[in-house]
Amino acid sequence: RTFSRLFGPGLAVGISADLKWYATYLGRVRDIDVIAAALKAGADEHLDDAAWKEMEVVLEEHRDAAVSALKDCRAVGRYQTVLHHMSRLVDAPMRDRSDLDLRELLKRPWRDFRNASRRLDSAHDEQLLHQTRIRTKNLRYAAEIAQNFEPELAKRLITHATAIQDRIGTRRDAHAAAAWLERNKESTPLSSTLRAFFSASAAASDG
């Protein structure tokens, strides 16, 4: 989406939906890894070894399930379509960047970021936060391409976009950890202290 103007017309048609499909499976593995890292950091301060081992077993079961689903998706025909798309992108010639209009490159990422950020408020909305972080990331990618042409503008955009990405990421991670603990409290009865800690952290991140 962000770099579609760097390729020939029509190349990106149909690619986005297939890549999003595969990214969903990758994202589930990444999500449990991020949650596990956050919980481990919290457990070091708030849980004893027995409570962490109990939680670690459940985390490993969830990760194994996510990895298994990822492997299974690679056995269906749509995955071959994803590989075909990637091959086309690797081999596709890029347009001459010397005549690249930065306004053309940055227009869509900036508009998407602006629209997404305007919908945010203090209440936690996982989907809105996720979309805003994606739009922020796309804006940063576009700014990185622009560095050779407008270094000062690009540097400012990259700095601010990175800071926003990090802040949204911290907020989402706190909520994701709190939500995981709540969903799995029956399987992790020794983690009540950690649940309280992440619930407070998630509430604080909304302030």
Side-chain angles (χ1 to χ4, degrees):
R1 179 182 175 91
T2 304
F3 301 123
S4 59
R5 287 178 172 81
L6 298 179
F7 298 97
L11 181 65
V13 174
I15 291 179
S16 180
D18 290 321
L19 292 184
K20 284 181 179 179
W21 167 79
Y22 185 55
T24 298
Y25 291 93
L26 291 172
R28 289 170 185 165
V29 177
R30 177 194 174 278
D31 286 348
I32 194 64
D33 285 343
V34 170
I35 289 171
L39 293 177
K40 181 63 172 72
D44 288 342
E45 295 186 24
H46 299 281
L47 294 184
D48 59 24
D49 287 345
W52 169 247
K53 289 183 183 302
E54 173 190 75
M55 183 177 298
E56 192 174 31
V57 169
V58 180
L59 285 165
E60 288 177 353
E61 289 174 352
H62 286 211
R63 191 181 195 280
D64 288 346
V67 170
S68 178
L70 175 62
K71 291 178 179 178
D72 288 346
C73 89
R74 292 173 178 167
V76 303
R78 193 171 188 181
Y79 179 64
Q80 297 303 316
T81 302
V82 170
L83 295 181
H84 176 67
H85 288 322
M86 297 299 291
S87 177
R88 289 177 61 208
L89 287 172
V90 169
D91 295 335
M94 297 181 69
R95 61 178 282 186
D96 182 3
R97 297 190 199 180
S98 63
D99 68 345
L100 185 63
D101 185 341
L102 288 181
R103 289 173 297 180
E104 177 189 357
L105 177 65
L106 294 171
K107 183 178 179 180
R108 175 189 281 176
W110 173 255
R111 181 196 63 208
D112 289 346
F113 165 73
R114 181 191 62 201
N115 292 342
S117 60
R118 284 176 175 173
R119 291 193 294 270
L120 289 176
D121 56 31
S122 59
H124 181 78
D125 186 314
E126 175 63 24
Q127 190 59 34
L128 276 180
L129 280 174
H130 179 59
Q131 288 301 319
T132 303
R133 192 165 189 260
I134 289 174
R135 300 312 180 208
T136 306
K137 181 171 60 176
N138 290 344
L139 179 61
R140 178 172 61 84
Y141 289 161
E144 289 171 352
I145 289 291
Q147 281 189 96
N148 292 334
F149 308 97
E150 291 284 351
E152 291 302 319
L153 171 63
K155 184 178 180 180
R156 290 199 302 273
L157 279 174
I158 292 168
T159 298
H160 291 301
T162 300
I164 294 169
Q165 254 188 278
D166 290 345
R167 183 170 182 180
I168 292 175
T170 298
R171 183 176 175 181
R172 289 188 68 226
D173 291 350
H175 277 274
W180 188 92
L181 286 166
E182 183 62 27
R183 288 195 305 271
N184 294 279
K185 61 184 178 182
E186 299 296 331
S187 304
T188 57
L190 300 179
S191 65
S192 57
T193 303
L194 196 60
R195 281 200 300 277
F197 168 74
F198 274 104
S199 293
S201 297
S205 73
D206 292 337

